[in-house]
Amino acid sequence: MSFLSEAMRYDLLVVQTAAVAAIAQAGAWAQCLSGVGDCHVCSSTPALTAHTAHAFTHQNLDITTPALGNVAAAAPTAGPSKKTGKTPALGWNSWNAYRCNISETRLLAAANDMVSLGLKDAGYEYVNIDDCWSEMIRDPTTKRIVPDSVKFPNGISGAADQIHDLGLKIGIYSDAGTMTCAGYPGSLEFEDIDAATFNDWGIDCELTKYSQPEEVTEKAVIDLKYDNCNVPSNWTDTETPPHDNWYLSNSAIRFRQMAGALAAQTTHPIQLDLCIWGTAHVWDWGAKVGHSWRMAGDSTPDWNYIKSIISFNAQHLDAVDFFSHNDMDMMEIGNGNLTIEEQRTHFAAWCFMKSPILLGTDLGLLSASQIQIITNSELLAFSQDTTIGTPATILGKNTTDPPEFFSGTSEKGAHVFIVNTANSTETKRFAFDSVPGLSDAKRKASSFVVHDMWTGKDVGTFRASGEFSVAVAPHDTAAFLITPA
């Protein structure tokens, strides 16, 4: 799977170690300049001077690798496992809550909160470690990544055992560059070693049985979040790939290498999240490589982010189906100053667009209202529907940015979701005959029952030839199931 010999990989390790040391001397902010794109450590760091930026561009950390001219032809073509990741991942991730201050104690606290707060019963299953979990250099003999013994005194496998005892799964983080966004060892050209390492740690748990016969119950390794920082210049995309086929781009090949390694080196399936920030037209090829792919940079706990990612993602929903999901990034519920209405929209949009939902806060601090939002059984059922994999899409003509009306179907019937992007309460209307999925039902029924997915109660019965109207609070989202009376 890797293109370097063992000796070349060791040379890369030496250069990488020197680069990490240089970054450490420069301060944490220098990590942001060592890669390509949006490093998540940058969100909490000060502005940088032009002089500093010049000293720490990714070119100073370049790694000598073979020429990539013919590398696409030899790149792995293994796709994501079909034994996991059929529906969007549900769980918790450490980054938004703790950044680099992750530890076994905090990980297990989140896992226990998932159980005690009813999140596990609602379907949440992954407890995911993000960046900063390892030592700064690999083991010089085995070349394996080494867990930080202070943060994880029982190793990753020890933490995994405790999480499995709670009936949950564990996730981990790596990077398709020479270093992670925070300057820890990345997996570029170490894909085989790292895939085998994750497998050998026994980070596993039972899979859900799906309807297809090949999806038998067996042990599954983690959800692997695979980031995109610290990419050597010769691994970046400086031009459009041949025939505009971004599957052949350098970016895609870096992620394909890990997908190939997972297929070859692991005995348990891994759910692979391509954290590629919406670059390289990932929605066109992501399903050939991973189970989900990030559509933009890191989330922030504000209404503008929620609006912008809904708007952008709405343009690419044809990429979403079983085993393939546009990732709108981790949840910010519980963070910042989002109103309850904005948090409802945050959750509802991730559900009806079928994005992975990874909570990103100190779960023990969530209010009863916030827990009620994230455990809403009807919205989660739409997200996790195992009979229909497609998301809700734009209903009617797009007259706002982001669009306000979406419709989709589930095994229960047709759904309409209405996002009020205005700063005041507005009355929203739609005609039943404008909703895809209701046309056949209309021939057989003269009226429809409208059911509120938030309250779990029927709103009323309405003539099939008429329309429905509802007052929606500012920045809130209404969600309805519509069935023949």
Side-chain angles (χ1 to χ4, degrees), residues 97-329:
Y98 301 119
R99 297 298 195 260
C100 275
N101 296 320
I102 185 59
S103 66
E104 178 182 289
T105 299
R106 284 179 163 165
L107 191 73
L108 294 177
N112 280 287
D113 284 338
M114 284 176 62
V115 175
S116 64
L117 296 175
L119 296 171
K120 176 188 171 185
D121 289 341
Y124 293 85
E125 57 182 352
Y126 286 104
V127 186
N128 290 358
I129 306 167
D130 207 280
D131 206 344
C132 312
W133 57 268
S134 74
E135 299 287 356
M136 297 298 287
I137 60 173
R138 292 174 176 269
D139 183 291
T141 302
T142 66
K143 313 300 188 302
R144 288 192 168 201
I145 300 177
V146 181
D148 186 312
S149 60
V150 175
K151 295 177 179 178
F152 292 92
N154 296 301
I156 301 299
S157 60
D161 288 342
Q162 296 178 75
I163 287 173
H164 296 159
D165 288 343
L166 295 172
L168 298 169
K169 302 179 183 180
I170 190 170
I172 205 162
Y173 168 100
S174 192
D175 190 280
T178 57
M179 293 180 290
T180 70
C181 296
Y184 293 80
S187 291
L188 184 64
E189 299 299 351
F190 288 88
E191 293 91 350
D192 286 340
I193 291 175
D194 291 351
T197 299
F198 298 150
N199 188 70
D200 292 348
W201 279 341
I203 308 176
D204 56 10
C205 46
E206 294 297 322
L207 268 176
T208 302
K209 282 186 177 180
Y210 293 129
S211 59
Q212 298 181 25
E214 69 271 22
E215 294 168 339
V216 296
T217 298
E218 63 177 86
K219 292 202 169 183
V221 187
I222 52 179
D223 175 283
L224 172 60
K225 176 181 175 181
Y226 203 45
D227 218 333
N228 196 39
C229 282
N230 295 304
V231 179
S233 59
N234 62 328
W235 272 108
T236 61
D237 296 309
T238 58
E239 58 186 18
T240 301
H243 310 294
D244 289 333
N245 185 354
W246 285 88
Y247 182 68
L248 303 178
S249 67
N250 289 343
S251 292
I253 291 169
R254 284 185 292 111
F255 287 87
R256 287 167 60 184
Q257 288 182 184
M258 178 54 80
L262 294 177
Q265 301 296 328
T266 63
T267 56
H268 313 309
I270 290 181
Q271 187 160 236
L272 179 58
D273 176 13
L274 315 177
C275 188
I276 194 173
W277 318 326
T279 63
H281 295 223
V282 64
W283 46 85
D284 289 336
W285 54 267
K288 296 180 180 179
V289 181
H291 298 92
S292 63
W293 41 90
R294 277 274 297 278
M295 294 296 288
D298 288 0
S299 63
T300 54
D302 58 73
W303 177 239
N304 284 336
Y305 176 81
I306 294 172
K307 286 198 304 180
S308 66
I309 192 61
I310 292 174
S311 177
F312 183 72
N313 196 37
Q315 304 171 43
H316 300 288
L317 291 173
D318 57 351
V320 179
D321 208 330
F322 290 135
F323 304 105
S324 56
H325 303 103
N326 293 347
D327 183 358
M328 299 162 73
D329 201 15

Side-chain angles (χ1 to χ4, degrees), residues 10-21 60-64:
Y10 185 72
D11 289 342
L12 185 152
L13 172 67
V14 172
V15 176
Q16 178 185 14
T17 302
V20 171
N60 295 93
L61 301 177
D62 201 6
I63 304 300
T64 301

